């Protein structure tokens, strides 16, 4: 049985050595790191956590013995760590009233900021306070009591550990005039209902107006239900109560106060709310409030109409139906909302069914006419003349706005989509609101319930679709054919300039995959000459399907149909590439668990003069892989001249590739070499270390996903740019090796 006591004492001694670091910033960083480990050890020994200690699980009698022998030492070191953190921070940030004295570089390392000038210390110290609050409560309290310049910032970010609230309340009970208000603010920041008794006691025992206002704010912050207790308080205290509602939608109800000063405070707090929260509260005030309250709510809502019209519609309709004195005002606001381009289909359907007031009814009719206006052939021709120059145009190119004006003049919603995006708005909002017009048959094919997921997989340029992840869920794949969805997308008005496509599984059944029909749809589309990046087989294996169950079929037609494709990534197992003639191709990856001979021969003979990155996965012989290290030697000799990034991945012969590559003239021109997911074990690194000079020029040598020991850093000493994280588990026998992907 291991001597856990000696082992853990050794760990604790390593902390002592780290804490003797002379540089205060380095020492602080090490103490903070080690305190985290000490807290874990303490939690395990005390039974609060069942996590392993440095990779070892300790339970039963061993844990009890360890608790008795070294438990007190751990707690003592935790206390020492807190004291060291506090004293070192005090030394670095200065004491008393002074602004921090640490140099800019030290401040940057500690808090990601810079020393504060006295005039702006509160703002600049906020980052420091947030860091301090995460260290330990004792460090926070020590700095709070000793460093006045930090006190306000610390009050805004108190520690969240259980002992913090009680200690703050105990300090508050001392009635120290220099700390009483910051301590109350710290309780307000914690916002825990357990602080209510202490705050009520503070209110009962003080007549100081400033302290009372802070206590009222903190009390309401800790328990929103206490707000009503101050309904009859004086104006100043009612303002303090409103501030206690900060960040909560209920602050909108404070608009009913008869005091203009209190209403002003409420409006200030409403402006700090997230817009969607403010809309919810203000529309509630609009439908249920007093006339004065409704008038103020209307004023606050109007600036939010452009981005939140859909959220407002139902409440605005209800407000108009109330027939109050603001009926005409609501009509104006409703008309403004109807005119917003991003208004959703559900809202429009609700509006069509509603009994609208005159101005709103006219706005809805005008919106409908604008979208059904016929377009002459001459105007269509004019927009078509502008399109070729936009194929490669950047999203910020002014040509897009010229195109948008022409489209809008034709009544084409794409013009509004481009303009909407040019104003910094999210294109998805407009596309979702006008999906039927801009996405053509897509919504009806994928059904309404799947539209949100589809929209989340789109990428945009100048407000229109630039790229799309076209994927089916398992359920949807039972009803929808991938080629039908793809055809509808490519024909959609918003996809006029699409050029990047990631296409998922055609089917979740092993005998129904293959991209033959997908390639036919791509080739028949007017977008075919402009497609740049294409992924065929974008799926998660084995979660979606085993890779060996997803054949990609005959891709030989792809090259003629997509002459300008620049990047192609194929994932699956089993298919044909035919004669690869790809004059524009720069990146080509074949990700498979079983590369067949004919597929390899197509890659070997490919004509791709611009190719820069080639990635080939070889796979497992048990699942149909047919290549060997001699084939790689042929590939190196036939490699296109511009290739500088080469991936020879998922191979059962990875160790044999090391001497082959070291002797190949091709290696000298490579910048990146990827040997990931192969069968390298730690003993194979000796050969790589011996031949390290041949690989030393590489910007990256990728050995991830092999069977190496991640803790063995010997290769990094000679080849520091090696990447070897995420190694797979291996068995005791070095001869029992397996690639990452087979089945």
């Amino acid at each position: 049985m291991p001597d856990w006591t000696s082992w853990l004492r050794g760990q604790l001694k390593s902390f002592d050595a780290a804490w003797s670091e002379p540089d205060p910033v380095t020492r602080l960083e090490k103490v903070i790191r080690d305190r985290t480990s000490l807290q874990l050890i303490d939690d395990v020994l005390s039974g609060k956590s069942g996590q392993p200690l440095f990779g070892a699980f300790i339970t039963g009698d061993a844990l009890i013995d360890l608790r008795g022998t070294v438990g007190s030492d751990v707690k003592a070191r935790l206390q020492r760590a807190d004291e060291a953190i506090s004293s070192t921070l005090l030394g670095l940030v200065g004491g008393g009233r002074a602004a921090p004295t640490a140099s800019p570089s030290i401040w940057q390392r500690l808090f990601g900021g810079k020393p504060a000038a006295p005039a702006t210390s509160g703002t600049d110290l906020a980052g420091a306070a947030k860091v301090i609050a995460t260290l330990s409560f004792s460090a926070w309290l020590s700095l709070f009591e000793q460093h006045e310049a930090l006190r306000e910032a610390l009050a805004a970010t108190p520690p969240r550990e259980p002992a913090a609230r009680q200690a703050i309340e105990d300090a508050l009970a001392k009635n120290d005039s220099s700390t009483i208000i910051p301590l109350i603010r710290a309780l307000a920041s914690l916002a825990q209902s357990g602080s209510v008794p202490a705050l009520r006691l503070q209110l009962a025992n003080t007549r100081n107006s400033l302290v009372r206002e802070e206590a009222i704010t903190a009390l309401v912050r800790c328990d929103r239900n206490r707000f009503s207790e101050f309904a009859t308080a004086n104006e100043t205290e009612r303002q303090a109560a409103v501030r206690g509602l900060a960040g909560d939608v209920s602050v909108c109800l404070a608009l009913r106060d008869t005091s203009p000063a209190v209403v002003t405070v409420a409006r200030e707090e409403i402006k700090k709310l997230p817009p969607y929260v403010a809309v919810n509260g203000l529309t509630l005030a609009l439908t249920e409030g007093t006339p004065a309250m409704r008038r103020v709510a209307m004023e606050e809502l109007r600036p939010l109409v452009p981005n939140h019209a859909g959220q407002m519609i139902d409440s605005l309709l209800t407000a108009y139906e109330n027939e109050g004195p603001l009926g005409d005002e609501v009509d104006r606001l409703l008309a403004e909302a109807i005119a917003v381009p991003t208004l959703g289909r559900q809202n429009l359907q609700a509006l069509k069914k509603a009994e609208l007031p005159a101005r709103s009814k006219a706005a809805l009719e005008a919106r409908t006419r604008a979208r059904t206006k016929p377009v002459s052939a001459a105007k269509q021709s004019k927009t078509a003349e502008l399109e070729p120059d936009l194929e490669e145009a950047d999203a910020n190119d002014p040509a897009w706005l010229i195109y948008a004006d022409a489209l809008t003049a034709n009544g084409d919603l794409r013009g509004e989509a481009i303009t909407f995006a040019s104003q910094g708005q999210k294109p998805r909002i407009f596309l979702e609101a006008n999906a039927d017009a801009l996405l053509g048959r897509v919504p009806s094919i994928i059904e309404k319930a799947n539209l949100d997921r589809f929209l989340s997989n789109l990428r945009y340029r100048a407000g229109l679709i630039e790229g799309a992840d076209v994927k089916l869920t398992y359920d949807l794949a039972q009803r929808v054919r991938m080629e039908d969805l793809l055809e509808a997308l490519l024909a959609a008005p918003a996809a006029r300039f699409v050029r990047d496509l990631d296409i998922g599984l055609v089917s979740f059944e092993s005998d129904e995959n293959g991209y033959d029909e997908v390639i036919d749809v791509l080739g028949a589309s007017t977008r075919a000459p402009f497609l740049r990046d294409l992924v065929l087989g974008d799926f998660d294996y084995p979660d979606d399907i085993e890779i060996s169950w997803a054949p990609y079929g005959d891709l030989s037609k792809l090259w003629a149909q997509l002459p300008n494709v620049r990047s192609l990534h194929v994932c699956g197992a089993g298919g044909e590439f035919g004669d690869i003639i790809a004059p524009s191709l720069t990146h080509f990856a074949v990700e498979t668990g079983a590369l067949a001979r004919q597929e390899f021969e197509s890659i070997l003979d490919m004509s791709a003069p611009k190719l820069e990155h080639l990635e080939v996965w070889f796979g497992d012989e048990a699942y149909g892989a047919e290549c060997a290290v001699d084939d790689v030697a042929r590939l190196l000799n036939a490699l296109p001249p511009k290739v500088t990034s080469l991936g020879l991945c998922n191979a059962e012969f990875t160790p044999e590739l090391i001497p082959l590559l070291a002797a190949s003239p091709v290696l000298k021109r490579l910048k990146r070499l990827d040997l990931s997911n192969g069968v390298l074990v730690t003993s194979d690194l000796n050969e790589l270390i011996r031949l390290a000079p041949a690989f030393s020029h590489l910007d990256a040598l990728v050995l991830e996903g092999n069977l190496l020991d991640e803790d063995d850093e010997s290769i990094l000493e000679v080849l520091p740019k090696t990447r070897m994280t995420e190694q797979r588990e291996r068995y005791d026998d070095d001869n029992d090796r397996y690639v990452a992907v087979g089945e």
Side-chain angles (χ1 to χ4, degrees), residues 8 12 35-49 53 63 67 70-76 78:
L8 187 52
L12 296 178
R35 190 193 184 285
T36 302
S37 298
L38 283 166
Q39 187 64 63
L40 172 61
I41 295 171
D42 187 57
D43 288 346
V44 172
L45 294 183
S46 62
K48 296 178 182 178
S49 171
L53 291 179
L63 182 61
R67 184 184 303 152
V70 297
S72 58
D73 288 349
V74 172
K75 291 187 181 296
L78 266 175

Side-chain angles (χ1 to χ4, degrees), residues 390-406:
L390 297 173
E391 290 293 350
E392 299 295 331
D394 182 84
N396 297 318
D397 194 312
W400 284 108
L401 293 180
I402 298 173
Y403 183 58
D405 289 342

